[in-house]
């Protein structure tokens, strides 16, 4: 069989599927999602373009399927991504109905692609406008890509104070020992292919909206026609005494994640914060540190977002992996010795001996 050879495969009988139903099929090793919506059949790739969840387990509403893991939405008629997270669209396949049977019509080559990047225009020198984007997280990148997808042909300049191309920050708490390049959202060539300029290591210090200029710490300026500020958020700073001691970390950048994962091996680690980041870090470090203790203000982890039952379940799972929890309290003071953390005193009077402290 050559790569372009057509494949026509019967999937099911027309009468077998109800309107609003989704079914998963395996064709040539690829998972395909067949959908019947508003009386017609359509087929797209079944793997979410974000982290690969099976969309057949998601939720279908009209022509949109919502991913079961983090909620990205895709149009089941076109495969286009319509809601973040995730950058790419799904492959879309031809479906025919003949003599009461539903067939997928495709080729082996078409089945090789599990993701589809939407078509984008390039910079046209005659277009003198510039969109400046301060920040280089997913929001900044999606803005740049959407502009090109929608036909914007002016200059796009993305500026970040970090020395990295846009990366998938949520992965930092899940794979703390990953290299920054391993979690880049797009490879380096992508930016030159689509004329998206990324200036790294430049920190914006002010914006003069009257003159439409951004000033950077190194004294340089950038003139813009439109400006997007998408700098993201920062971890909350710990206010108690001792928070500036060595071996007290917060987690925001790949450098922070590397430092924590390198320092934590065989140490007693205290994590302040029991929501997603704190819990993911606890899970990651549970088999690497000597001990992991989580301090949280609520009764159970995730309480505010997922409620008591799920919070208690998550707590039990981590306890089974040796993680200790100190809930309904917070740090009163971190004590040090020779500039290093030594112990943390909690508001409830507990003293934890530690060698590394991570702030969520
Ligand atoms: S895996 Fe689908 S949204 Fe994350």
């Amino acid at each position: 069989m050559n790569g372009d050879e057509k494949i026509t495969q019967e999937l099911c009988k027309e009468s077998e599927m109800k309107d609003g139903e989704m079914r998963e099929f395996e064709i040539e090793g690829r998972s395909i999602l067949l959908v019947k919506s508003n009386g017609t059949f359509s087929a797209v790739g079944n793997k979410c373009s974000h982290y690969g969840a099976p969309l057949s387990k998601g939720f279908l509403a009209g022509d949109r399927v919502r991913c079961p893991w983090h909620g990205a939405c895709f149009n089941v008629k076109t495969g286009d991504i319509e809601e973040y997270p995730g950058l790419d669209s799904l492959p879309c396949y031809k479906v025919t109905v003949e003599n009461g049977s539903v067939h997928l019509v495709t080729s082996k080559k078409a089945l090789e692609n599990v993701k589809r990047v939407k078509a984008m225009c390039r910079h046209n020198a005659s277009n003198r406008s510039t969109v400046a984007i301060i920040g280089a997280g997913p929001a900044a990148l999606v803005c740049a890509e959407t502009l090109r997808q929608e036909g914007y042909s002016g200059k796009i300049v993305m500026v970040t104070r970090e020395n990295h191309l846009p990366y998938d920050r949520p992965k930092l708490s899940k794979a703390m020992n990953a290299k920054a390049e391993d979690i880049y959202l797009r490879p380096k060539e992508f930016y030159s292919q689509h004329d998206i300029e990324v200036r790294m290591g430049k920190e914006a210090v002010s914006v003069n909206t009257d003159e439409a200029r951004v000033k950077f710490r190194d004294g340089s300026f950038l003139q813009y026609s439109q400006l997007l500020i998408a700098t993201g958020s920062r971890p909350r700073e710990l206010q108690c005494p001792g928070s500036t001691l060595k071996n007290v970390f917060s987690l925001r950048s790949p450098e922070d994640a590397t430092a924590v994962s390198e320092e934590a091996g065989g140490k007693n680690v205290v994590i302040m914060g029991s929501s997603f980041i704190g819990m993911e870090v606890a899970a990651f470090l549970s088999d690497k540190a000597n001990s992991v203790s989580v301090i949280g203000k609520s009764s159970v982890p995730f309480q505010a977002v997922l409620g008591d039952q799920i919070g208690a379940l998550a707590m039990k799972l981590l306890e089974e992996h040796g993680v200790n929890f100190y809930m309904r309290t917070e740090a009163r003071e971190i004590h040090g010795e020779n500039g290093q953390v030594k112990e943390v005193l909690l508001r409830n009077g507990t003293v934890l001996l530690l060698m590394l402290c991570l702030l969520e």
Side-chain angles (χ1 to χ4, degrees), residues 189-208:
E189 316 73 69
F190 179 90
Y191 299 92
S192 47
Q193 277 163 9
H194 300 288
D195 296 326
I196 298 167
E197 188 184 338
V198 186
R199 297 184 189 171
M200 293 179 274
K202 280 178 90 72
E203 185 178 4
V205 289
S206 65
V207 176
N208 183 330

Side-chain angles (χ1 to χ4, degrees), residues 337-354:
E337 200 173 77
N338 302 323
Q340 303 261 359
V341 290
K342 184 168 166 259
E343 60 186 25
V344 60
L345 173 64
L346 305 186
R347 288 213 179 275
N348 66 8
T350 308
V351 177
L352 301 174
L353 291 175
L354 76 153

